[in-house]
Amino acid sequence: MKQSKTFYFLFSLAIIGIVALPVGIGNLVLGFIYGDSPCIQCWAERQSMLYIGVAGLFILRYGLKPKYLAILLLMTAGGLYQSFYHYGNHALEDVGQGFALTILGLHTQFWAHVVFWAVVLILGVLLCFAPSLQTLAQERGVYTQTTRRTYRDLSKANNLAFLVVGVIAITNMVQAFISTGPVPYLGQGDPIRFSWNWRENVWSTKNWQHMGFPRQLGKRIVDTPILADAQYTWDYDYHNAPLEIHKELTLRSQKISSLNLNAPISDLLFLSAPSTSIVVPKNPLAMSMTSQGCAPVHKSDKVYFSPDTFAGDNALFKNTFLIGTQKEGFYVANKDLETLVTHFVLDKYYAATVENFVGVNMVGNLIRVMGQNKSSADVRYNPKAGNNFVNFLQGADHFEELGRSRLRTSRASTYYVLSARSDGVYTYMLSVPNQRYKDLILVRMLDRDLGLDSERVVQASTNNPLKPKRDLGEFYITGLALYQGKLLALSKAFNTLLVIDPMSAQVLDAYGLPSQIHNASALTLVDDSLVVVGYEAGQNTFYTLDLSNFSPNTTPIIELRQQAPELHSQGC
């Protein structure tokens, strides 16, 4: 009997603490004193906390029964969902950023998360010391026979718990009525501060449009990219592109690949050694960095080789093709694209997930592979590596992984990429559209520290103006190459080659590709030609395009079409 009294006493204190501290402080102190007004999600979390308190009162009054425990856990589960949803909207913001007032330096949406986990923790601890249900049932039977009642007599602590829950519930109703209004008015996403002057409060029904069921899972849930082996019908006619295009490249030759790869090709890069000694500049951002390896005829002054790029074991990569595949395969092929020199297949799991190699680059003297999710891995070729089973499915005895990294973006956070090319200082990526977001965004990562350098929405120029009611997001960029300091972006939609200025993110020129190319997935420059990879009928095909008459506009146009950036990672 003494154990039961102790349990119900502690249970009373737990109810008082769970309701009085978060809900009471939020309502009486932050609300009535400091004028804080909860958003619609905060109101939902407060309600769940009060429901938990009410479920606890049933236990105090009628005893510890499985159905009351079930209600309490269901309310906690609902509150955890609400707090995950709420906190997740703000979790990736910079330090110091948040929503509404703070308690001990942490915003209220974080404390809601803490409170619901505290309920689980406290309940678990209390139940460890609670009498068994059988003992409680026996005590309840004796009590019922003695008093002819099915409910418990309340102690002073029990009554205090009832008083606290009741008072806090009533004061929250007062605040909710004043700041939010009666039905059909509803909570707001960005409420104004609380005021006792009714004329200064806003009652709104706006959020009813977001209350449908079932709801979409979230702004960050988007479809994965359309890869080369997907069943999808593309328009390969560049005349139907959203830009006006008046130039076309000619096809020199084509051949079906005989290389034994584990999946369709997703990136291609030719590493040509510089014909003469190149001095690494004093620019600290360029030190120890290499280039994409464009052929000497197209080499830009801004492209650099590290002195040891092709030294030692890396001499193997001189004048070879680096090939990336959809299933995390990295292959080195000779210049004729007929023989494989070495390869590895990365184990994409069990660390930062790197899915579908969309960029294979030499950065300094290491290999950097980029995935469609903007996660990368740095790898070094070492024929004496031993067995690096932990990182590789194939090639574990010739390669060693140096580390993985995730690039965090803002404008492009809800986009995948299917292209990534390094110039030795920066790695450039272009987003692909999905069912929700349609912008074409140029992302630039600093190679030295793998951090975000810039994000720009790509814009058309007067060289190739947009057609009426069309948008650059209709392109589907699957490959990038560097040409005289500019980006050559390959779009499998409309078989188009865009020339983009990496600094202003302007489309400086556009070329149509031959109609023979289907399902283009990668490109690279080789001597005086452009090699494009297509995938059809289960086979990779190499198309060689003539560049003898390739003379794109390369001068950026200063005036840009102003467009407000659209961010997708925030919101209450």
Side-chain angles (χ1 to χ4, degrees):
M1 195 70 175
K2 182 179 179 181
Q3 186 179 12
S4 297
K5 289 183 178 179
T6 303
F7 169 75
Y8 286 116
F9 172 76
L10 294 175
F11 203 87
S12 300
L13 296 183
I15 294 173
I16 294 170
I18 289 169
V19 174
L21 293 178
V23 187
I25 291 175
N27 169 228
L28 300 175
V29 179
L30 298 185
F32 290 159
I33 297 177
Y34 291 100
D36 182 62
S37 190
C39 71
I40 186 171
Q41 289 180 304
C42 292
W43 276 126
E45 289 158 354
R46 283 196 190 181
Q47 289 179 56
S48 293
M49 294 176 195
L50 286 169
Y51 296 154
I52 289 171
V54 171
L57 297 182
F58 272 90
I59 292 175
L60 293 181
R61 189 56 165 164
Y62 297 104
L64 185 64
K65 296 182 179 180
K67 61 180 179 181
Y68 299 138
L69 273 178
I71 292 173
L72 193 151
L73 289 173
L74 288 173
M75 293 299 102
T76 306
L80 281 172
Y81 166 76
Q82 292 163 348
S83 62
F84 269 120
Y85 187 92
H86 197 184
Y87 180 62
N89 287 334
H90 303 271
L92 298 182
E93 291 172 345
D94 287 3
V95 62
Q97 297 176 349
F99 191 87
L101 301 183
T102 63
I103 302 175
L104 299 179
L106 297 174
H107 289 274
T108 50
Q109 65 268 11
F110 175 82
W111 282 112
H113 199 61
V114 172
V115 168
F116 291 117
W117 279 118
V119 172
V120 176
L121 177 64
I122 294 171
L123 181 63
V125 172
L126 288 177
L127 290 178
C128 286
F129 298 97
S132 66
L133 292 177
Q134 183 178 4
T135 301
L136 290 171
Q138 292 174 350
E139 292 177 356
R140 189 164 52 249
V142 172
Y143 181 83
T144 302
Q145 292 176 0
T146 304
T147 63
R148 305 297 179 182
R149 288 180 289 162
T150 58
Y151 52 87
R152 297 179 59 254
D153 285 330
L154 298 177
S155 65
K156 292 181 179 180
N158 300 159
N159 281 315
L160 180 59
F162 271 83
L163 178 63
V164 169
V165 172
V167 169
I168 297 300
I170 292 171
T171 56
N172 270 272
M173 288 185 222
V174 172
Q175 184 184 8
F177 185 83
I178 294 174
S179 65
T180 302
V183 177
Y185 298 110
L186 198 63
Q188 302 154 37
D190 292 305
I192 65 171
R193 64 184 180 276
F194 176 78
S195 173
W196 290 105
N197 186 340
W198 286 42
R199 294 182 179 181
E200 295 175 346
N201 291 288
V202 175
W203 292 0
S204 172
T205 60
K206 181 179 179 180
N207 271 321
W208 278 113
Q209 61 183 319
H210 304 299
M211 299 295 285
F213 185 84
R215 299 182 63 188
Q216 293 179 331
L217 293 178
K219 294 180 180 180
R220 297 173 60 84
I221 306 299
V222 299
D223 52 338
T224 54
I226 304 170
L227 302 184
D229 55 357
Q231 297 298 318
Y232 191 87
T233 303
W234 297 96
D235 184 348
Y236 297 126
D237 188 352
Y238 70 84
H239 295 96
N240 298 330
L243 293 176
E244 294 183 9
I245 301 175
H246 308 290
K247 302 176 183 179
E248 181 179 358
L249 296 177
T250 57
L251 182 65
R252 180 185 295 174
S253 65
Q254 70 181 72
K255 71 173 183 178
I256 296 176
S257 172
S258 59
L259 299 174
N260 183 21
L261 309 176
N262 71 334
I265 293 175
S266 53
D267 190 36
L268 184 69
L269 171 65
F270 183 66
L271 283 179
S272 62
S275 56
T276 59
S277 175
I278 295 180
V279 179
V280 180
K282 295 182 179 180
N283 179 357
L285 296 182
M287 294 298 289
S288 301
M289 297 296 175
T290 187
S291 73
Q292 100 155 25
C294 297
V297 67
H298 299 303
K299 188 171 72 266
S300 166
D301 291 339
K302 295 184 179 180
V303 175
Y304 307 110
F305 284 85
S306 171
D308 59 352
T309 297
F310 297 114
D313 294 331
N314 280 350
L316 179 76
F317 299 125
K318 186 184 296 184
N319 292 317
T320 61
F321 284 92
L322 304 186
I323 299 173
T325 72
Q326 290 180 184
K327 292 186 178 179
E328 299 77 50
F330 172 87
Y331 297 83
V332 181
N334 67 353
K335 191 172 182 179
D336 296 328
L337 284 168
E338 294 179 350
T339 305
L340 293 179
V341 179
T342 187
H343 83 287
F344 69 78
V345 177
L346 191 75
D347 188 343
K348 68 178 181 179
Y349 298 122
Y350 309 112
T353 303
V354 183
E355 284 190 308
N356 176 21
F357 288 170
V358 302
V360 289
N361 293 280
M362 288 294 293
V363 180
N365 61 348
L366 58 86
I367 302 161
R368 178 166 293 163
V369 290
M370 180 70 68
Q372 67 183 25
N373 55 357
K374 301 187 285 289
S375 293
S376 62
D378 287 346
V379 177
R380 180 166 55 203
Y381 175 67
N382 181 3
K384 301 178 182 179
N387 185 6
N388 288 311
F389 168 83
V390 66
N391 300 123
F392 302 97
L393 301 179
Q394 298 177 27
D397 55 344
H398 283 78
F399 293 89
E400 52 187 355
E401 182 183 305
L402 305 179
R404 301 190 187 190
S405 178
R406 300 182 182 96
L407 177 66
R408 180 177 297 174
T409 61
S410 180
R411 288 188 178 93
S413 64
T414 50
Y415 293 83
Y416 287 97
V417 297
L418 289 180
S419 57
R421 183 62 66 234
S422 171
D423 66 2
V425 179
Y426 301 103
T427 293
Y428 302 93
M429 290 162 270
L430 281 166
S431 64
V432 291
N434 52 66
Q435 82 277 23
R436 293 191 181 187
Y437 309 112
K438 308 296 183 182
D439 286 335
L440 180 60
I441 300 174
L442 175 63
V443 179
R444 189 168 72 178
M445 180 185 77
L446 184 61
D447 282 339
R448 185 179 63 176
D449 60 7
L450 297 110
L452 179 67
D453 184 76
S454 68
E455 297 175 88
R456 290 177 178 269
V457 176
V458 179
Q459 300 184 39
S461 67
T462 55
N463 294 339
N464 297 87
L466 276 169
K467 297 175 182 177
K469 299 182 180 180
R470 302 294 296 274
D471 192 86
L472 289 178
E474 297 177 44
F475 288 114
Y476 210 83
I477 306 301
T478 57
L480 281 174
L482 289 169
Y483 176 84
Q484 296 183 358
K486 301 298 183 277
L487 298 172
L488 303 183
L490 174 69
S491 173
K492 68 168 59 183
F494 312 112
N495 261 15
T496 302
L497 186 71
L498 302 178
V499 181
I500 300 175
D501 176 43
M503 301 304 294
S504 65
Q506 287 180 294
V507 178
L508 304 180
D509 212 337
Y511 283 77
L513 300 181
S515 59
Q516 294 92 329
I517 299 178
H518 284 186
N519 204 12
S521 60
L523 81 164
T524 190
L525 290 162
V526 183
D527 299 328
D528 62 345
S529 61
L530 184 69
V531 176
V532 175
V533 182
Y535 185 81
E536 192 173 25
Q539 293 179 313
N540 292 298
T541 302
F542 299 109
Y543 301 90
T544 302
L545 307 183
D546 188 7
L547 289 183
S548 58
N549 296 322
F550 185 60
S551 57
N553 295 313
T554 57
T555 304
I557 298 174
I558 303 301
E559 294 184 5
L560 297 176
R561 175 173 56 89
Q562 298 299 320
Q563 180 176 344
E566 183 179 353
L567 303 180
H568 306 301
S569 60
Q570 303 184 47
C572 178

